[in-house]
C-alpha cells in the first residue's frame, strides 16, 4: 500500500504505514500484529501517537492542514512538520543530550517518527503544577539554549552559511504569522480570540488595550521578532515543550522554529517559569503552602540565566578565532574591546529576554491560549488574583526591562510583588 499523497492516519492505517517504512518497523521489531498504539494528542495542532512494539517504541507525529483544537475553520499549513523535523535534526546535532532523535520524516505525509520519551518523562508544566523539584533543570536548559543559539548565530557561522539557513526557514512564515497575531497583536486590541478570567480581569484586560507605553514597547519587540535573524530559535519554548525526569530534560515540538531573536526562546522559557511561580499560590493547600517551591522556581530562573551566560561565553571564547563573522578577530583584537563587545551583547540579550518573556506572559493571561498552571486553579477568584500579579510583573518587565543589569535584580523585583 503506497502513501503517495497526504491523508490523516488513524490507528489502522498507521500500522500499514509502519509496515511499509523500514526505518520505523526496524525500531519496533518485526511483529506488526502486536503493536500497541495510543493516541496522546493533547496538543493544539497535531495528531500524536505512541507506538510500542516487541523490541522498541516510537512517537509518530502528523501535522494536519488546520489547527486541531479549533478545527477546519482555522487552516494551517502542514509544511510545519518539515520545519519541525529540520529543527529537531539541527538542534539534535548541536545538543544531542536534550533533543529526541528523529528516525524518519515523510514530507508528503507531514509525518515525523522520533524517539519515544518513556515514563517517567512528563511535561515540565505538569511537574511544576505538581510541585516537583528538578535538580538538573537549570543545568540542562541552559546547555540546550547556549549550544543551539550560539552555534546557529553569526558568532559561530559565516554570513554565507547563515543566509542560506535563514532562507530555508523563511518558508515557516505561516507559523511566524500565527505568533505575530497571538503574541504581539491580539492582546492589545479587541479580538474575538481573546479571553480571560471574566469578570474579575475585565478591567485588567482593558488596561492592557489602553496602555500606550505598553503598545510602544510591544511594537519594538514585534519588529525584532519579524526582522531579526539572530539564530535558529525553537519558536515555542514554553514549559509545555519540555519533557523531564529528575535526571533527563528533553526539548520537543519545535514546529514554530525560524531564524529570529535569541531572546524570544530564552524569554518564552523564563516567562513560563514566572507564570508557574505566580500560579503556586492557587495550588497551595493546608498540607503545603508552596513557599519553599516558589523559592526553588526563583532559584531556577536565576541559575538558568547565569549558567546560560557562562556557557554562551565559554563557547564564544572557544570559537573566537573560528569562522564566525559577527566580530572579526583582526578588528576586535584587544581583550578590553572583546570584553566591551561581549558585555554589550549579553546585556542586550537580557533585555530582549525580559521583553519577549513579558509578552509571552501577557498573551497567556488575556490572549487566546492560556496555561494549565492557571487554568487548573478551580476557584476563579483565586485564579484571577494569581493571574493579576503575573500580569503586573509582565507589564513592569516589558516597560522597564532596560533598567535591569542582571537576573538577580529581576528575581528581586518578582519577589516584591
Amino acid at each position: 500500500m503506497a502513501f503517495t499523497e497526504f491523508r490523516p492516519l488513524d490507528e489502522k492505517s498507521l500500522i500499514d504505514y509502519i509496515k511499509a517504512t523500514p526505518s520505523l518497523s526496524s525500531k519496533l521489531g518485526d511483529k506488526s500484529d502486536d503493536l500497541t498504539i495510543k493516541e496522546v494528542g493533547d496538543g493544539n495542532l497535531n495528531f500524536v501517537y505512541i507506538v510500542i512494539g516487541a523490541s522498541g517504541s516510537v512517537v509518530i507525529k502528523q501535522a494536519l492542514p488546520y489547527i486541531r483544537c479549533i478545527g477546519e475553520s482555522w487552516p494551517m499549513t502542514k509544511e510545519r512538520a518539515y520545519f519541525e523535523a529540520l529543527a529537531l535534526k539541527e538542534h539534535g546535532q548541536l545538543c544531542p543530550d536534550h533533543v529526541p532523535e528523529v528516525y524518519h520524516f515523510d514530507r508528503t505525509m507531514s509525518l515525523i517518527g522520533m524517539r519515544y520519551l518513556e515514563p517517567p518523562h512528563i511535561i515540565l508544566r505538569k511537574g511544576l503544577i505538581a510541585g516537583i523539584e528538578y535538580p538538573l533543570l537549570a543545568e540542562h536548559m541552559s546547555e540546550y539554549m547556549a549550544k543551539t543559539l550560539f552555534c546557529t548565530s553569526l558568532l559561530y557561522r559565516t554570513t554565507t552559511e547563515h543566509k542560506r539557513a535563514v532562507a530555508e526557514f523563511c518558508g515557516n512564515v505561516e507559523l511566524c504569522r500565527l505568533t505575530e497575531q497571538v503574541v504581539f497583536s491580539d492582546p492589545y486590541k479587541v479580538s474575538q480570540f481573546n479571553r480571560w478570567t471574566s469578570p474579575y480581569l475585565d478591567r485588567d484586560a482593558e488596561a492592557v488595550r489602553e496602555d500606550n507605553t505598553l503598545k510602544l514597547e510591544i511594537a519594538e519587540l514585534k519588529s525584532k521578532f519579524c526582522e531579526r535573524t539572530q539564530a535558529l530559535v525553537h519558536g515555542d519554548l514554553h514549559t509545555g515543550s519540555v519533557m523531564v525526569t529528575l535526571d533527563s530534560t528533553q526539548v520537543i515540538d519545535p514546529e514554530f522554529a525560524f531564524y529570529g531573536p535569541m531572546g524570544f526562546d530564552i524569554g518564552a522559557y523564563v516567562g513560563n517559569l514566572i507564570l508557574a511561580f505566580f500560579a503556586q499560590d492557587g495550588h497551595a493547600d493546608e498540607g503545603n503552602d508552596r513557599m519553599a517551591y516558589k523559592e526553588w522556581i526563583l532559584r531556577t530562573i536565576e541559575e538558568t540565566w547565569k549558567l546560560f551566560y557562562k556557557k554562551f561565553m565559554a563557547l564564544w571564547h572557544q570559537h573566537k578565532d573560528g569562522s564566525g563573522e559577527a566580530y572579526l578577530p583582526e578588528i576586535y583584537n584587544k581583550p578590553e574591546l572583546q570584553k566591551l563587545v561581549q558585555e554589550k551583547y549579553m546585556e542586550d540579550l537580557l533585555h530582549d529576554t525580559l521583553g519577549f518573556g513579558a509578552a509571552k506572559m501577557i498573551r497567556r493571561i488575556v490572549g487566546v491560549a492560556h496555561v494549565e498552571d492557571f487554568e487548573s486553579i478551580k476557584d476563579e477568584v483565586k485564579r484571577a488574583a494569581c493571574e493579576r500579579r503575573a500580569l503586573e510583573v509582565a507589564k513592569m518587565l516589558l516597560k522597564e526591562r532596560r533598567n535591569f543589569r542582571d537576573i538577580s535584580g529581576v528575581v528581586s523585583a518578582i519577589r516584591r510583588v
Side-chain angles (χ1 to χ4, degrees), residues 45-46 61 63 80-81 83-84 172 175 234 253-257:
L45 297 178
N46 311 288
K61 182 169 178 179
R80 62 184 186 270
F83 295 106
E84 175 165 9
N172 207 10
L175 268 74
H234 176 288
D253 290 352
E255 61 198 336
F256 283 80

Side-chain angles (χ1 to χ4, degrees), residues 166 169-185 217-231 233 258-262 264 352 356:
V166 170
F169 274 92
C170 275
N172 207 10
V173 58
E174 253 192 77
L175 268 74
C176 288
R177 284 187 60 83
L178 181 60
T179 303
E180 288 161 35
Q181 178 187 334
V182 300
V183 176
F184 301 104
S185 301
E217 295 297 345
I218 208 71
E220 186 178 316
L221 287 166
K222 182 177 183 175
S223 92
K224 268 191 181 167
F225 177 85
C226 297
E227 296 158 5
R228 186 150 200 220
T229 57
Q230 202 174 19
V233 297
F258 76 112
Y259 272 77
M262 295 180 183
F264 190 73
D352 279 2
F356 286 121

Side-chain angles (χ1 to χ4, degrees), residues 303-322:
E303 275 172 28
T304 301
W305 174 262
K306 285 180 172 168
L307 286 167
F308 167 80
Y309 192 110
K310 190 173 137 196
K311 291 170 187 192
F312 195 92
M313 293 301 267
L315 286 165
W316 195 336
H317 184 72
Q318 188 186 336
H319 297 285
K320 69 177 190 300
D321 300 316

